[in-house]
Amino acid sequence: ELNDVNMKVAKLEKDAEETIARKESLEEQKRIAMAKLDRADQLLGGLAGEAGRWRDNVVALEKSKDLLVGTMLLASGCVAYIGPFPSKFRKEIVTKWTERCNALSIPVTEGFSLDSITDQVLMRQWSLWGLPLDQFSVEN
């Protein structure tokens, strides 16, 4: 009878050890899941902030899309015609072209200049090469 009791105690101890090991495993899984949940919450918070920025970008792109035809018209005119002229005349002719576009109901960017549509990274590279970055030089 003592042997039966010892066997039952041993079985109960083994079951207890297995239950404790299972509990520890579940606690570790819970800790990992909570860490993932925290990271997901941070990611969603960051994406919510990005949504506002993206909405602003969409509005700006919609506006620039409306101005695209006029901007391209002015840019092509500048590239084709204003190269040999001094800065003062360039500004005057672009102002006249802008006024003409407005009179013809062609939407254009106010205060247009070629350097306003030039890639800023490319301009930075020009600067590193020792080229001047004044408006006249950039337009050329």
Side-chain angles (χ1 to χ4, degrees), residues 3-32:
N3 198 20
D4 288 340
V5 171
N6 282 339
M7 286 175 53
K8 286 182 184 179
V9 169
K11 183 180 183 321
L12 289 174
E13 285 176 349
K14 181 182 173 195
D15 288 347
E17 288 175 9
E18 289 174 358
T19 304
I20 290 171
R22 174 106 171 104
K23 176 189 166 216
E24 290 172 356
S25 172
L26 290 172
E27 286 175 348
E28 179 64 16
Q29 290 176 5
K30 176 185 171 191
R31 185 191 64 74
I32 291 170

Side-chain angles (χ1 to χ4, degrees), residues 75-128:
S76 61
C78 288
V79 168
Y81 297 111
I82 69 171
F85 299 109
S87 294
K88 183 178 178 191
F89 181 76
R90 290 179 179 197
K91 288 179 185 175
E92 291 172 6
I93 197 71
V94 169
T95 301
K96 288 180 183 178
W97 288 343
T98 302
E99 290 169 357
R100 183 69 176 150
C101 285
N102 288 331
L104 295 172
S105 299
I106 300 172
V108 294
T109 304
E110 290 301 318
F112 171 83
S113 68
L114 276 180
D115 66 341
S116 67
I117 61 171
T118 303
D119 181 18
Q120 297 300 313
V121 175
L122 182 61
M123 288 175 57
R124 177 72 177 135
Q125 183 133 19
W126 293 344
S127 173
L128 293 173

Side-chain angles (χ1 to χ4, degrees), residues 54-78:
W54 284 22
R55 272 191 292 278
D56 294 343
N57 280 349
V58 167
V59 169
L61 288 171
E62 286 292 329
K63 183 177 180 181
S64 68
K65 181 180 82 171
D66 294 339
L67 300 174
L68 185 61
V69 172
T71 301
M72 294 309 297
L73 183 65
L74 291 177
S76 61
C78 288

